[in-house]
Amino acid sequence: MDKNTVKTSFGKYVNVMNLENLAVPIQEMDRYTKKYSFESYLHFMIYAHLNEIDSLRALEDALINKNLQAQLGFETLSVSQLSRKHRAIDSDVLAAIFAELSMRIKGKSGPTKFGKPLYLIDSSTITLNKDQFPWASFRTTKSGVKLHLRLVFMDDNHQFPDQAVITPALEHDNNQLDILMDEKDVMYVFDRGYMDFERFDELCREGYTFLTRIKKNTVVTEVEACPVEDSPRIKSDRVVRLGSFQKMMDAEMRVIEVWDTKHNLLRLTTNDMETPAETLAEMYRNRWQIELFFRWIKQHVTIKRFFSFDEEAAQNQIYIALITFCLLVLHSQETQSKLSPLKVARRLKALIWQSCQEWKEALRSVP
């Protein structure tokens, strides 16, 4: 790899990754490699995500670009070589790179909108062809993989993923809560698909604070009515016990009835007895940010079509998509940019082989 390529915008973008702590597994993967090293693979796949390249043949054709050749350190590569490498990469290494980038983003983050971070939890299914992906079958005619994600919400313009689990689509969301809920002194926000009274009792006993929505048919037994704030959005605020007599929670919860922007009545529940109801309603409103993230990642990187049909290769492609996004956020932080990740990516693509200084200046300028 040409040392001068780091001076380009793309070189600067990818070379902030710290691979030193992963030297041993990377060396093992590169043991029999002549030119297509792990680092070259990682850079090439990030390039594919940025440019929304959706097939290995299209990726092979992209190598006619001399600047890309200089960045990767070789001039040609066959589709079969690309495919073999993609299937041979250990997804745990990519997961570790994603985790390291997320920790750096978190370390550079400033004060949060609500005084403590919101950890938004949800999942999204990527539908696949059943004949090509039989290992991920979940319906009669379909296969799919599910991305279980935790998104850290700091403020309206600052969110980033920091935990991810990739499973076949059949996996129930609740099975991943133990992995996605591993920090205290934060507020976890998730939708009613994670509702489980027994699990909620465990979370209360273990000291986790969470906010979610309850189903319309959930049985609620009032313990105490709380004063309702002077707000047109809040209808009621009560301390309650959730569940029927046979399956009632041990812990007392709080249920807040709130009108959304379409004047639908939502019932939110939390074990946070101190935060004002209006603030809790605003916290839950921000849960929409994780839906926007899933929409972004499906529209602006390559995960709707996979380069290989293997389970490991599918995980690799999703982890690199998350890495691609985290790199955009990290560079935004370092340049104190006010641009959205989409605009950061667009300006990177426009200046991809220009001087990295030009890209830095473009990130600081607001249209």
Side-chain angles (χ1 to χ4, degrees):
M1 193 176 297
D2 190 334
K3 65 181 180 180
N4 292 322
T5 58
V6 74
K7 298 179 181 179
T8 67
S9 298
F10 183 70
K12 178 66 175 176
Y13 172 72
V14 295
N15 278 285
V16 297
M17 289 182 287
N18 180 13
L19 304 181
E20 292 180 4
N21 294 335
L22 298 167
V24 173
I26 289 174
Q27 287 172 4
E28 182 65 25
M29 286 187 288
D30 284 346
R31 177 180 293 183
Y32 303 108
T33 299
K34 293 182 179 179
K35 61 178 180 180
Y36 196 22
S37 66
F38 172 82
E39 188 173 8
S40 294
Y41 162 84
L42 183 56
H43 291 183
F44 204 7
M45 288 298 166
I46 291 172
Y47 179 87
H49 276 303
L50 281 173
N51 291 279
E52 299 176 51
I53 296 173
D54 63 2
S55 72
L56 292 180
R57 293 197 179 280
L59 202 54
E60 179 189 34
D61 292 338
L63 269 174
I64 64 172
N65 187 296
K66 298 295 184 183
N67 292 302
L68 182 57
Q69 292 173 9
Q71 175 69 39
L72 301 177
F74 52 81
E75 297 179 359
T76 60
L77 210 64
S78 69
V79 169
S80 60
Q81 288 173 306
L82 289 167
S83 179
R84 281 197 302 272
K85 189 71 173 183
H86 189 48
R87 288 182 281 113
I89 296 297
D90 184 352
S91 60
D92 287 343
V93 174
L94 297 174
I97 295 171
F98 162 60
E100 193 270 339
L101 289 172
S102 296
M103 287 297 295
R104 285 166 62 185
I105 293 169
K106 194 177 295 185
K108 292 176 179 291
S109 299
T112 66
K113 180 177 180 179
F114 297 106
K116 58 182 177 182
L118 295 189
Y119 281 15
L120 313 179
I121 294 176
D122 206 347
S123 69
S124 184
T125 299
I126 303 164
T127 304
L128 305 171
N129 184 296
K130 187 171 184 178
D131 293 334
Q132 295 173 328
F133 299 88
W135 53 268
S137 175
F138 79 106
R139 289 182 184 166
T140 305
T141 60
K142 292 181 180 179
S143 288
V145 292
K146 187 179 285 188
L147 172 59
H148 307 264
L149 192 77
R150 186 172 83 190
L151 189 80
V152 180
F153 177 92
M154 305 298 288
D155 57 48
D156 294 340
N157 300 308
H158 186 193
Q159 308 95 36
F160 59 93
D162 86 321
Q163 286 276 14
V165 182
I166 304 163
T167 68
L170 272 176
E171 184 78 14
H172 196 281
D173 291 348
N174 262 341
N175 296 339
Q176 307 307 320
L177 276 183
D178 286 339
I179 299 173
L180 297 175
M181 297 182 71
D182 62 352
E183 293 184 31
K184 298 178 182 178
D185 299 321
V186 302
M187 172 66 86
Y188 291 96
V189 183
F190 43 84
D191 205 359
R192 55 190 175 184
Y194 292 88
M195 235 180 103
D196 181 327
F197 292 157
E198 186 176 345
R199 187 73 184 98
F200 284 2
D201 270 327
E202 290 178 7
L203 293 174
C204 291
R205 287 193 294 269
E206 292 166 4
Y208 293 97
T209 307
F210 60 94
L211 171 66
T212 187
R213 181 180 167 190
I214 58 176
K215 298 176 182 179
K216 290 182 179 179
N217 62 351
T218 301
V219 178
V220 176
T221 303
E222 182 175 318
V223 175
E224 177 187 356
C226 304
V228 177
E229 302 167 5
D230 184 16
S231 167
R233 290 206 297 170
I234 307 300
K235 180 183 177 184
S236 67
D237 184 358
R238 298 174 291 164
V239 177
V240 304
R241 299 282 294 278
L242 294 178
S244 62
F245 179 76
Q246 295 86 354
K247 294 184 178 180
M248 185 175 287
M249 282 185 62
D250 294 330
E252 291 184 350
M253 298 289 289
R254 188 174 167 195
V255 166
I256 301 158
E257 293 184 309
V258 54
W259 300 104
D260 69 8
T261 54
K262 296 181 180 179
H263 210 64
N264 297 314
L265 187 64
L266 307 181
R267 294 198 299 171
L268 309 181
T269 189
T270 180
N271 58 346
D272 182 339
M273 301 294 178
E274 304 297 331
T275 302
E278 181 72 27
T279 303
L280 291 167
E282 181 67 11
M283 286 179 174
Y284 190 81
R285 187 186 68 81
N286 284 295
R287 198 197 69 82
W288 181 245
Q289 292 293 337
I290 197 167
E291 303 289 350
L292 295 179
F293 176 82
F294 284 134
R295 184 183 301 176
W296 188 96
I297 208 168
K298 288 182 177 181
Q299 290 179 347
H300 300 296
V301 294
T302 309
I303 64 169
K304 287 193 291 186
R305 291 188 62 183
F306 287 98
F307 296 145
S308 175
F309 305 144
D310 295 74
E311 184 172 4
E312 186 93 358
Q315 292 197 24
N316 290 344
Q317 199 161 328
I318 295 172
Y319 275 124
I320 296 174
L322 296 172
I323 288 168
T324 301
F325 185 90
C326 286
L327 288 172
L328 295 173
V329 175
L330 192 61
H331 282 287
S332 294
Q333 285 182 317
E334 291 183 348
T335 57
Q336 298 183 328
S337 175
K338 303 299 183 184
L339 300 175
S340 67
L342 180 57
K343 285 188 176 291
V344 173
R346 284 174 175 168
R347 295 189 180 195
L348 172 60
K349 288 191 284 186
L351 300 168
I352 196 162
W353 303 121
Q354 303 302 313
S355 163
C356 61
Q357 192 59 39
E358 291 184 55
W359 183 46
K360 281 185 177 181
E361 292 171 1
L363 294 187
R364 294 191 182 102
S365 65
V366 179

